[in-house]
């Protein structure tokens, strides 16, 4: 019979028959690491199978318990059973020597135990089944797989290392470490252990659900400088026990040098402060400044402050680099931990602006000659200065030699402080300014100085005017002053109504000795004149003259001396030129224009100061005693005043109203007659 069974097992799988549903079902199980759990395998079949076999592979976390595999209760007595652990897994065979069909009613076919490992997870349990009938045919069969779950929390540190960086001591810093529960049960952290007392957390106990993460904040409060590498160890119920993260930091002591700022006016001196805040005992300090050209170090101005009382100080200046050194001969540290340690002065030798003072090669030394400098900061100096604004030239124009030439020169201060004009000089005689010095000009304001020149001779003149100021860029402003001086020679005119028309009286005002005169006189064509009517003034005795019409209403006058006579310097009437009004036209408020004026010097040069001259003819109104342009009662009062002896401002041509050659009460009667007629 055994021989026949072996034959069946050998041939099973060679012939496959399908005689109905045959199903193996593997149960599920779960437990904690180290537990032994039972796995049941049941069989459902239609009853034709007489032998069954199954190979079940096992994960390394599922260790088969030796001898634990047993047949189910319904198979224990009537069937042979064998189980063996082979390389491929657990192999189980159940068969009937008498070829009794397997019950296959869904009851337990066999069971076995596994011991659970430590890695929490769910592990699939699958099998490779074989069923055979009494003829040695292999029957079709299905398997419903099972699973074994190992239950446990597992701690994974996601942030294995955290770096606090280069940080000052005596402060607190925080970083977060991320933890993950890689298991399938709640992770309970019962404490955090640190390898250094400077580390702490305000949440030493907590829980993390399966699959979740949590950030744990670790606080670091360093008190000692120097690089460290410490650990944070988390104590929990995790299957993998304590887990640690690395904590890295490079704490340093804060020892900082700071340069103060200052502000001042150009040419002044300002004080620069050096302050230090330190955690270490400092026994010496040194720094170097590259000074801007506008900042000039004041020799021997570097002094220790009260904090460093008794310290030796030294300074040196080489190619614009200022080195400052201070130290204690007895290695006594500077007092306190914050405040001023020294000062020095610079003279402001520049214009408006900010100038940086940045310390270089700073050394703050402890007693072991270590440089403990952790940081530095620079300062700046503001220079406020006036700014001179003004033209480079001043044109005084044309001026007569007989007068003081004057011209205004504008100075504007475009700076931030008052501009001082301390002195004004000229590089030639005869020039001056009218204002008293010094002159102060506020920022963004301007003023004028009056430049004066006392001429001696005619001609162009030029001089350098030097203006001395407190503007660093214009200590001496050079202005070119120039102009032209001429000898004044001009004519003017007056006139009066005559019996036949109007007498034009021409006055010559000449600085230069005149040898000949020419001019054209323009007036109304209805009025005429001639050479025979002209009479010379006394100063032109010995001169010949010509009066010729050159156009309608235009007469050319030429005066000359064949005997070499000249008109000396002076100002008086030159000639009278009467105009006859034969047409009896009204010439009141007309203009007489004199142009083409030539005043010839003895050298033949035209020295006239004018090109043309216009004279407004104002003929007196008979009866207008007060000259207001009307004849009324007020003229009566003025006439009475004239009769009583007040002749001021009265035109005598209008006061003798009746023309009898006297001014008396009879003229008042004539005035009343004029008033009455004008009213009618």
């Amino acid at each position: 019979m055994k021989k026949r069974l072996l034959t069946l097992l050998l041939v099973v799988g060679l012939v496959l028959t399908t005689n109905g549903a045959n199903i193996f079902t593997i149960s599920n199980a779960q437990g904690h690491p180290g537990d032994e759990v039972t796995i049941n395998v049941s069989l459902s079949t239609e009853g034709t199978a007489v032998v069954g076999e199954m190979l079940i592979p096992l994960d390394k976390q599922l260790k088969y318990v030796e001898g634990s595999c047993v047949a189910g209760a319904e198979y224990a007595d009537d069937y042979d059973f064998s189980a063996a652990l082979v390389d491929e897994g657990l192999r189980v065979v159940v068969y009937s020597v008498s070829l009794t069909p397997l019950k296959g009613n869904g009851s337990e076919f066999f069971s076995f135990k596994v011991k659970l490992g430590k890695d929490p997870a769910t592990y699939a349990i699958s099998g490779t089944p074989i069923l055979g009938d009494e003829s040695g045919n292999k029957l079709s069969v299905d398997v419903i797989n099972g699973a074994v779950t190992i239950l446990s929390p597992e701690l994974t540190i996601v942030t294995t290392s955290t770096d606090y960086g280069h940080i000052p001591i005596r402060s607190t810093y925080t970083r977060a470490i991320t933890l993950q529960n890689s298991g399938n049960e709640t992770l309970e952290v019962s404490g955090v252990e640190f390898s250094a007392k400077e580390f702490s957390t305000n949440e030493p106990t907590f829980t993390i659900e399966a699959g979740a993460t949590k950030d744990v904040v670790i606080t670091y409060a360093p008190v000692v400088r120097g690089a460290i590498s410490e650990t944070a160890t988390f104590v929990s119920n995790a299957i993998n026990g304590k887990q640690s993260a690395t904590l890295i930091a490079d704490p340093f002591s804060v020892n900082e040098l700071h340069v103060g700022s200052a502000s001042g006016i150009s040419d002044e001196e300002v004080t620069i402060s050096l302050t230090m805040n330190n955690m270490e005992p400092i026994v010496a300090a040194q720094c170097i400044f590259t000074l801007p050209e506008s900042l000039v170090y004041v020799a021997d101005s570097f002094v220790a402050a009260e904090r460093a009382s008794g310290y030796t100080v030294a300074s040196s200046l080489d190619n614009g680099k200022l080195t400052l050194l201070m130290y204690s001969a007895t290695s006594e540290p500077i007092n306190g931990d914050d405040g001023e340690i020294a000062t020095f002065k610079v003279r402001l030798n520049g214009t408006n602006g900010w100038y940086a003072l940045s310390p270089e090669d700073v050394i703050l030394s402890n007693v072991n000659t270590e440089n403990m400098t952790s940081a530095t900061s620079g300062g700046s100096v503001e220079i406020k200065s006036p700014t001179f604004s003004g033209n480079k030239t001043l044109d005084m124009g044309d001026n007569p030699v007989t007068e003081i030439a004057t011209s205004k020169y504008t100075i504007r201060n475009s700076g931030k402080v008052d501009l001082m004009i301390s002195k004004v000089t000229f590089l030639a005689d005869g020039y001056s300014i009218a204002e008293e010095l010094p002159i102060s000009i506020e920022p963004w304001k301007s003023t004028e100085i009056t430049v004066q020149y006392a001429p001696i001779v005619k001609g162009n003149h030029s001089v350098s005017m030097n203006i001395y100021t407190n503007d660093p860029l214009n200590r001496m402003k050079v202005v070119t002053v120039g102009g032209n001086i001429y000898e004044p020679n001009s004519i003017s005119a007056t006139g009066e109504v005559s019996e036949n028309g109007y007498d034009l009286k021409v006055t010559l005002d000449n600085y230069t000795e005149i040898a000949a005169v020419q001019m054209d006189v323009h007036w109304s064509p209805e009025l005429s004149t001639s050479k025979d009517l002209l009479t010379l003034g006394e100063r032109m005795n010995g001169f010949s003259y010509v009066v010729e019409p050159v156009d309608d209403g235009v007469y050319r006058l030429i005066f000359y001396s064949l005997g070499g006579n000249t008109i000396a310097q002076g100002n008086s009437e030159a000639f009278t030129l009467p105009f006859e009004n034969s047409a009896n036209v009204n010439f009141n408020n007309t203009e007489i224009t004199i142009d083409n004026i030539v005043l010839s010097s003895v050298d033949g040069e035209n020295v006239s100061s004018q090109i043309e001259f216009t004279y407004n003819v104002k003929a007196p109104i008979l009866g207008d005693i007060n000259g207001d342009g009307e004849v009324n009662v007020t003229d009566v009062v003025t006439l009475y005043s004239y009769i009583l002896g007040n002749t001021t401002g009265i035109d005598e041509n209008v006061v003798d109203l009746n023309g009898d050659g006297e001014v008396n009460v009879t003229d008042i009667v004539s005035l009343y007659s004029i008033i009455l007629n004008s009213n009618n």
Side-chain angles (χ1 to χ4, degrees):
M1 185 65 187
K2 288 183 179 181
K3 183 177 180 181
R4 185 177 181 184
L5 179 61
L6 291 174
T7 302
L8 284 173
L9 292 176
L10 289 174
V11 299
V12 165
L14 298 178
V15 180
L16 178 62
T17 60
T18 55
N19 295 323
N22 301 293
I23 299 174
F24 281 102
T25 301
I26 304 174
S27 68
N28 297 323
Q30 65 178 20
H32 294 93
D35 289 351
E36 293 183 358
V37 297
T38 299
I39 300 171
N40 295 314
V41 179
S42 60
L43 174 63
S44 295
T45 180
E46 294 180 348
T48 60
V50 296
V51 60
E53 178 183 348
M54 180 171 285
L55 176 64
I56 302 176
L58 295 176
D59 189 274
K60 63 181 180 179
Q61 294 295 321
L62 306 177
K63 185 177 181 181
Y64 172 67
V65 178
E66 191 70 33
S68 65
C69 186
V70 294
E74 294 186 2
Y75 296 93
D77 295 331
D78 299 328
Y79 295 88
D80 287 330
F81 177 85
S82 67
L85 192 62
V86 297
D87 291 340
E88 294 82 3
L90 178 64
R91 183 182 297 276
V92 179
V93 178
V94 178
Y95 57 91
S96 171
V97 176
S98 60
L99 298 180
T100 300
L102 301 177
K103 298 184 182 301
N105 56 3
S107 61
E108 179 182 300
F109 189 47
F110 64 90
S111 66
F112 62 95
K113 293 181 179 181
V114 292
K115 186 175 183 179
L116 305 183
K118 66 176 184 178
D119 293 342
T122 296
Y123 300 90
I125 302 295
S126 61
T128 302
I130 296 175
L131 285 179
D133 61 14
E134 63 181 3
S135 301
N137 296 316
K138 181 180 179 182
L139 304 177
S140 64
V141 60
D142 293 325
V143 177
I144 298 176
N145 295 327
V148 174
T149 300
I150 301 177
L151 299 174
S152 176
E154 183 177 23
L155 176 59
T156 298
I157 297 182
V158 178
T159 309
T160 58
S161 176
T162 184
D163 191 349
Y164 288 82
H166 191 60
I167 50 176
I169 63 174
R170 302 183 188 176
S171 293
T172 57
Y173 309 91
T174 58
R175 295 288 187 274
I177 294 177
T178 301
L179 306 182
Q180 182 180 28
N181 181 0
S182 305
N184 46 24
E185 283 190 319
T186 300
L187 173 70
E188 297 178 356
V189 176
S190 57
V192 184
E193 299 172 348
F194 297 102
S195 60
K197 62 182 180 181
E198 291 84 4
F199 293 93
S200 64
T201 180
N202 59 0
E203 194 177 8
T205 61
F206 50 87
T207 60
I208 305 176
E209 295 302 318
T213 60
K214 180 177 178 60
D215 291 335
V216 181
V217 176
I218 306 299
T219 300
Y220 179 40
V223 293
V224 179
R225 62 183 173 87
I228 58 100
S229 178
E230 303 292 345
T231 58
T233 301
F234 296 88
V235 180
S236 70
N237 63 339
I239 187 61
N240 53 341
K242 295 181 178 180
Q243 297 294 309
S244 298
T246 302
L247 307 174
I248 300 171
D250 184 19
F252 63 92
S253 60
V254 176
N255 302 285
E256 300 175 335
L257 180 71
H258 304 285
V259 181
S261 296
S263 177
I265 300 172
S266 57
D267 296 336
E268 291 183 347
E269 294 180 359
V270 295
T271 299
I272 308 300
S273 175
L274 301 180
T275 61
M276 179 180 70
N277 57 291
N278 56 296
M279 294 179 179
E280 297 281 339
I282 301 300
V283 299
Q286 175 183 300
C287 63
I288 298 175
F289 293 96
T290 301
L291 292 179
E293 291 184 2
S294 297
L295 303 181
V296 179
Y297 174 64
V298 178
D300 301 323
S301 64
F302 182 49
V303 294
E306 186 177 353
R307 279 187 69 190
S309 177
Y311 265 53
T312 301
V313 297
S315 62
S316 64
L317 185 63
D318 184 23
N319 291 327
K321 286 190 175 292
L322 174 64
T323 300
L324 304 177
L325 171 65
M326 58 189 302
Y327 61 92
S328 169
T330 59
S331 297
E332 288 294 323
I334 294 175
N335 294 324
D337 57 10
D338 196 9
E340 188 176 77
I341 60 171
T343 61
F344 66 96
K345 294 181 179 180
V346 291
R347 182 167 57 84
L348 309 183
N349 193 31
T351 187
N352 289 312
W354 290 89
Y355 301 86
L357 279 178
S358 301
E360 307 167 13
D361 300 331
V362 177
I363 297 175
L364 300 177
S365 177
N366 63 11
V367 71
N368 297 321
T369 67
E370 296 176 284
N371 185 5
M372 304 308 300
T373 304
S374 60
T376 63
S377 68
S380 60
V381 176
E382 180 189 19
I383 298 180
K384 299 178 181 179
S385 70
T387 300
F388 182 102
S389 296
N391 292 332
K392 295 180 179 180
T393 60
L394 174 64
D395 186 0
M396 299 189 72
D398 296 330
N399 297 277
V401 71
T402 55
E403 300 176 8
I404 300 295
T406 63
S407 187
K408 299 289 187 181
Y409 180 76
T410 301
I411 301 173
R412 180 173 177 80
N413 178 11
S414 302
K416 294 183 177 180
V417 294
D418 290 355
L419 174 68
M420 300 298 297
I421 308 299
S422 57
K423 184 170 65 173
V424 179
T425 62
F426 297 89
L427 300 184
D429 294 334
Y431 296 88
S432 64
I433 65 169
E435 290 75 18
E436 292 186 3
L437 298 175
I439 297 173
S440 178
I441 307 173
E442 296 179 357
W444 301 108
K445 297 292 181 65
S446 60
T447 192
E448 292 180 335
I449 60 174
T450 305
V451 179
Q452 303 175 137
Y453 175 52
I456 300 175
V457 295
K458 68 176 182 177
N460 294 328
H461 65 99
S462 179
V463 70
S464 291
M465 176 175 65
N466 298 333
I467 304 174
Y468 294 85
T469 79
N470 61 335
D471 178 358
L473 299 181
N474 282 292
R475 300 293 185 181
M476 184 183 76
K477 175 70 174 181
V478 179
V479 180
T480 301
V481 177
N484 178 60
I485 301 299
Y486 64 91
E487 294 179 347
N489 301 288
S490 62
I491 64 171
S492 60
T494 60
E496 60 183 25
V497 178
S498 66
E499 182 178 352
N500 296 323
Y502 191 80
D503 293 341
L504 177 66
K505 300 179 182 296
V506 176
T507 296
L508 175 63
D509 181 5
N510 62 301
Y511 181 87
T512 309
E513 186 177 2
I514 302 300
V517 177
Q518 175 185 304
M519 67 189 72
D520 291 345
V521 179
H522 303 251
W523 204 14
S524 173
E526 287 83 3
L527 288 90
S528 61
T529 188
S530 66
K531 175 182 178 181
D532 296 336
L533 297 176
L534 186 144
T535 59
L536 292 176
E538 182 179 349
R539 64 187 311 214
M540 296 189 70
N541 286 338
F543 272 73
S544 301
Y545 53 89
V546 175
V547 177
E548 293 288 343
V550 294
D551 203 349
D552 288 345
V554 181
Y555 293 87
R556 177 161 295 165
L557 282 63
I558 301 175
F559 302 86
Y560 58 95
S561 173
L562 296 176
N565 292 349
T566 60
I567 305 171
Q569 185 183 91
N571 182 10
S572 61
E573 185 178 309
F575 62 88
T576 299
L577 181 63
F579 281 83
E580 294 180 341
N581 187 11
S582 57
N584 198 26
V585 298
N586 182 8
F587 53 80
N588 190 33
N589 286 326
T590 61
E591 289 184 345
I592 297 176
T593 299
I594 301 175
D595 61 10
N596 193 24
I597 300 170
V598 177
L599 302 178
S600 180
S601 69
V602 294
D603 297 324
E605 179 186 359
N606 182 9
V607 294
S608 175
S609 304
Q610 62 189 160
I611 298 175
E612 67 176 33
F613 169 76
T614 299
Y615 170 63
N616 193 345
V617 178
K618 288 286 188 180
I621 300 174
L622 190 64
D624 184 13
I625 309 300
N626 58 13
D628 63 0
E630 295 182 359
V631 180
N632 49 38
V633 176
T634 60
D635 294 298
V636 177
V637 176
T638 305
L639 182 56
Y640 267 120
S641 177
Y642 183 83
I643 293 172
L644 293 176
N646 183 9
T647 61
T648 303
I650 300 298
D651 187 347
E652 295 185 359
N653 292 314
V654 298
V655 294
D656 184 11
L657 300 178
N658 57 14
D660 60 2
E662 296 182 2
V663 180
N664 49 38
V665 176
T666 60
D667 292 298
I668 296 177
V669 176
S670 298
L671 178 57
Y672 271 118
S673 176
I674 294 172
I675 293 172
L676 290 174
N677 289 331
S678 64
N679 289 337
N680 290 333

